Structures are given as C-alpha cells and as structure tokens.
Amino acid sequence: MIEADQRFDTRDALGPHGVTLFFTSDAPSEPHGYRLHTAYRLFLASPESNNLPRLLADLVQVAASNIARAVASRHRWHPLGPDGSMVNGGDTNLPPGAAYVGVGVSTLDSEVGSWYQVARSLREPAATGRYRSAWDLRGQCYVLLTDGTALHIDRNPHARLGDEGIRSTKTLDADRPAHWHNPHADLCERGDYTIREVWRQLAALHDTLTTYLCGGGQLA
C-alpha cells in the first residue's frame, strides 16, 4: 500500500494487486511450535496486472509451465527460485524443511473504487481541507490454505469498533465447539462475478502449487 502510494503516477508505478505465498517451518520455541514465512510478488502497473482474475490465471500458467519443465528435466522446482521464481520480495530464503501452507492475494481496489481512483483522491484535499494518507484507504485480501480454510480480510481503518473485517470458512478460535454454525462456510461462492472469478483463479493456483509441493513433486 505504502509502496504503491509512493510510486503512484511514476514510471515504476505498481499495480493494485500483490500475491503472497505462505510457508511454515518447525520452531519449538514459538508459542504454536512453528514460524510463518511469507514471500510476495508485486507487479508494475499494466493492463494485465490491473485485472486480478487475469493476473491470477497467468500465474497458474506460469506455475504449471515451471512444473512441467522441472518434471521433464527431473529437477525440483520451487516457487521461490532460484530458477523460475514467482516472487520478488519477502522471505525468499526458507529454512530446511519449510512447507507450503497457502497462497493469498491482496488488492487495493475496494468498494470505494479502484486503486487508481482512490489514490488520485489522496492528491486532493478533502472537504475538511486536510489531505488523507494511504492509511485512510481500504484494502482486501483473499487467502486459501492447505487445510481447506478460505479467508477474506477487509482492512477498513474506519470500521466500527469490534468489526475486525475477517471472514473465514473455518473457525479461527481453537476453543470454539465443533458444531458451531459458521455463517461464512460458503464464502468462496459469494459476491459478484469478478469476486467469484478471483476465488476460482486463486483456487487453481493454490491447487497447482499444493499438488506439486505437497503431493510428491508432480501434477496429477
């Protein structure tokens, strides 16, 4: 968000979407016994990177091509590289034994408008006469994990107190009873066509990576 704001309307302007890969490694000294590692990819602004479903569909093809080449050459491919890396930031050096646990995509587009609309509004004073910052803007994340959890996170700095903006298909409370009724169980089936396409393409990318990284090293 901050990087996109600082580079807005420059030659190196960023697109509104970023993809994050999640990994965990054993860490007995940590409260839950593991450490989370995140590696991400940001994209320069372009017609292709501005369209989130298309961007995800392209990444599915990139991952599948890298996997096919690795299988054909009997080499092991990893999305963090060194060959065919799908990321350009974050935790790019994982400890031995780190496991893939999911993928997410964040977007600076929101119900308020596209990133380009709201980013331009930051350059103009509000009705109060003060200029807003990127921290006043909303953002969204869509996440799929290998245990079957799907999450939608709505970062709204002006949300009412107690509204954390997190919806999940599985409980995030380990003490919640198993028979708890989850109103977000069908989360991935909600929303308009574009939102459902985001979920569908993110699922395709997640399934491709899960099958290869967690399923024996090749696509079924």
Side-chain angles (χ1 to χ4, degrees):
M1 180 180 65
I2 298 300
E3 188 77 8
D5 181 45
Q6 293 175 343
R7 291 162 62 169
F8 183 73
D9 251 0
T10 69
R11 178 178 296 180
D12 297 323
L14 289 175
H17 316 302
V19 173
T20 300
L21 302 179
F22 302 100
F23 300 85
T24 59
S25 62
D26 292 336
S29 62
E30 296 291 333
H32 298 288
Y34 69 89
R35 182 172 291 113
L36 178 67
H37 309 274
T38 58
Y40 61 82
R41 183 178 184 90
L42 301 179
F43 304 84
L44 294 178
S46 70
E48 293 78 13
S49 66
N50 294 341
N51 185 310
L52 184 50
R54 178 177 176 180
L55 181 151
L56 291 171
D58 288 345
L59 286 180
V60 174
Q61 294 302 315
V62 168
S65 296
N66 284 328
I67 291 169
R69 282 194 295 270
V71 171
S73 61
R74 299 183 180 277
H75 288 90
R76 183 69 175 169
W77 173 75
H78 197 281
L80 272 56
D83 298 320
S85 174
M86 295 183 64
V87 301
N88 54 20
D91 302 324
T92 55
N93 294 309
L94 300 178
Y100 169 79
V101 293
V103 61
V105 60
S106 63
T107 174
L108 297 175
D109 292 339
S110 69
E111 296 176 357
V112 179
S114 73
W115 161 243
Y116 298 102
Q117 292 171 323
V118 296
R120 199 168 299 281
S121 73
L122 296 181
R123 276 71 186 167
E124 304 168 353
T128 59
R130 78 173 185 89
Y131 285 87
R132 298 182 302 158
S133 76
W135 294 108
D136 291 303
L137 303 182
R138 297 175 66 169
Q140 300 181 82
C141 296
Y142 302 84
V143 179
L144 293 174
L145 302 178
T146 50
D147 71 346
T149 301
L151 300 104
H152 176 259
I153 303 166
D154 181 6
R155 192 196 67 83
N156 183 359
H158 305 295
R160 66 181 184 274
L161 187 64
D163 183 2
E164 59 185 11
I166 300 175
R167 295 181 294 167
S168 173
T169 57
K170 292 189 176 183
T171 178
L172 302 179
D173 182 358
D175 297 323
R176 194 183 297 274
H179 62 271
W180 169 68
H181 171 68
N182 184 357
H184 307 302
D186 61 346
L187 178 62
C188 300
E189 302 167 14
R190 299 179 184 177
D192 59 20
Y193 174 79
T194 299
I195 292 175
R196 295 196 305 273
E197 273 296 287
V198 169
W199 282 121
R200 189 174 74 85
Q201 296 296 347
L202 186 64
L205 177 60
H206 179 55
D207 291 346
T208 298
L209 293 174
T210 300
T211 299
Y212 180 72
L213 297 175
C214 307
Q218 64 182 12
L219 288 174

